[in-house]
Structure formats: C-alpha cells, structure tokens
Amino acid sequence: MKNHTVRQLVEGAALAAVFGVLFLITTYVPLLGSLTLWTLPVPFILMMVRNGPSSSFVMWGVTIVLGFLIAGIPSLIASLMFGIGGLTAGYLYYRHKSALAVLIGSSVAYVISLVLVFISSILLIGQNPADLAIEMFNQSIRQAETFSNILGQDSDQFDQLMQQVEMIRYLIPTALFMLGVVIALISQLISVPVLKRVGGFKPPVFKPIREWAFPKSFLWYYLVVTILMMVGLEEGSTAFVAAINVYSVLNALIFVQGLAVIYFFSHQKGWPIVVPILLTLLGFALTTFVVIIGIIDLGFELRRRMKS
C-alpha cells in the first residue's frame, strides 16, 4: 500500500512537471507551441486514468500552485482550464464511457472554463476582449483600405468587411462553444495513442466519420432559426444574438453531417482515404454546398438511399 502511494506521488509529480514543460514551450516557442497547446490536457487525462480521482486532484492542485509561482497568472489560467477539461475526460475514461460521452463531457468542461476565463478577463482589464479584437481587425482593414486607395482601387469591399467584423461581438458564445469542442476533440485524439502506449489502457474510439449522424430534430431547429434570421430581427437584441448563435452552431453541425455523407460516398466507391481528405479541404471552400448535402441527408436519409 505504501509503495502504491509513493508511486502515485512520483507519477503525479512527473506529470505535473510534464505539464509545466509543455506550458513553457506553448508560451515561449511560437511555432512548436501551436502544436503543444493541444497536448496540455494529456497529463491530467493520463493521471486520472492510471490513478483515479483523488491522486489526480492532488496533482492538479500541485500544478496550479507551482505554475502560479513560476509563471504567474497565465500558468494559473492554463492549469485551471486544461486541468478541468483533462480531468473530466480522464474521469469519463476511468468510468469506461464511450468516446462520444468523453467528447461531450470534456467539451462542456472546456466551454465552462472558457466562459469563466472570458468573464474574468473583462473584470481584470475592464474591457470586453471582443472589442479589442474588433479594433485590431478594423485597424488592419483601414491600413489595407489606405493602401488600396493609393493604388486607385475601389474601397467599398472594405466597408462591407468592417460590417462583417462587427458581427464578432454577437458570435462570442458560438466562438467559445466551438473552441471548447475543438480543444476537447483534438486533445482526445492525441490522448488515445498515449493512453495505449503509456497508460496501459485501451480507450474507446469514435465511429468512422462516415457513420456520424445527428438527430433529425436538428433540421427543424435549423429551419426555424433560418426563418427568424430571414424575417429580420433587430440587430443587437437578445433574440438576434440568440438566433445568430444557434444558427451558427447548427450550421457547423450540419456541415459535419455533410462531410459524413462525403466520406460515406467515398467508402462506397472504394476510394483511397486521400480522396475524402482532399474533398474535406475543398468542402471548407464550398461550405454552403456541404451544408446542403447535410440538410438533404438529415431530411431524406441520403446515405440509406445510397446503400440501396
């Protein structure tokens, strides 16, 4: 029993150190840091899977304290946010939940963490970070517009672009939601081989993309919100903000449904994996087309018809 406790303490200290190294690389090595960012939750996931909740929370507490003493507020924020998400994912693995349950649970944890960080930043700096981002974008657009005027080109497009940038302030909930899901998904995909090799654990994996499907009710929600957007809600109103965020999230989900159809069709044709990957990249350039495919699949079970 004593040896087991010592092993947990040593392992927790080692993983806390790994998190610290990953955080320093993420902060001070720009190119490599953009990659190590997604690995920050992995030490917490590994600790939870191997040693359970009690030891994992002790390791998390040590990480928070040491990180704050060494790197200050940024490390504290990273330890809190990635610790909450990583421990949530690890606990769901520990309880042998499905890959989808792990994704949903950790996504919720990350979204909550991001919302808290966002609110805290407003309280600390006394200004909405979205306003700062909009100002930076507008400044860049003005510089581009000035350069365009010097060349004698039409500047109307810049006015339209600035109007679109203003929409950022209304899409903050969508941005936080999407960022939380992306962090959860990428960290989960990274953790799978780590858990297999180091953790001695066989984590559940997702179904192939071609089998992904959302409830048909999403289509009705999408149609209702689209009609509301077409009717014309007052910009800045609560209804407008709610509608545009729901529309954006549903649009992203139906886009994924459309990609699933593309992968299914590629599988049916026996095409090599490089083909659907290239089609995916093309799909981001033809978002509306992919969304239409997703809508048809939701409404008319396009993949079932392909089988027959």
Side-chain angles (χ1 to χ4, degrees), residues 184-308:
L185 177 60
I186 295 178
S187 62
Q188 185 172 342
L189 294 176
I190 293 174
S191 69
V192 168
V194 175
L195 290 173
K196 286 181 179 179
R197 182 175 293 274
V198 182
F201 176 79
K202 187 177 180 181
V205 295
F206 291 105
K207 293 180 179 179
I209 296 178
R210 63 179 182 273
E211 297 181 14
W212 290 13
F214 295 106
K216 284 188 176 182
S217 57
F218 278 24
L219 178 59
W220 295 108
Y221 302 150
Y222 185 77
L223 291 175
V224 169
V225 175
T226 301
I227 292 172
L228 289 175
M229 297 294 293
M230 292 174 63
V231 167
L233 299 173
E234 181 183 354
E235 184 172 335
S237 65
T238 302
F240 175 83
V241 174
I244 195 172
N245 280 280
V246 173
Y247 174 83
S248 299
V249 171
L250 288 174
N251 200 64
L253 294 176
I254 294 175
F255 176 80
V256 173
Q257 181 99 8
L259 290 180
V261 175
I262 292 174
Y263 274 74
F264 180 84
F265 182 76
S266 299
H267 180 73
Q268 289 285 92
K269 293 296 183 180
W271 292 342
I273 188 64
V274 68
V275 174
I277 291 176
L278 291 175
L279 290 175
T280 300
L281 297 175
L282 181 62
F284 284 103
L286 302 171
T287 305
T288 303
F289 178 70
V290 178
V291 169
I292 291 173
I293 293 176
I295 290 173
I296 295 173
D297 187 50
L298 277 173
F300 301 100
E301 298 182 349
L302 184 57
R303 278 174 281 181
R304 183 179 63 82
R305 297 176 185 276
M306 287 181 183
K307 287 182 181 178
S308 59

Side-chain angles (χ1 to χ4, degrees), residues 35-52:
L35 299 176
T36 56
L37 170 68
W38 309 104
T39 66
L40 290 176
V42 175
F44 299 104
I45 297 174
L46 185 59
M47 185 66 184
M48 178 65 78
V49 170
R50 285 179 59 85
N51 299 292

Side-chain angles (χ1 to χ4, degrees), residues 9 24 40 78 84 89 94 105 107 122 124 126 144 173 208 225-226 244 280 284:
L9 291 174
L24 291 175
L40 290 176
I84 291 173
Y94 182 75
S107 295
I122 294 176
L124 288 173
V225 175
T226 301
I244 195 172
T280 300
F284 284 103

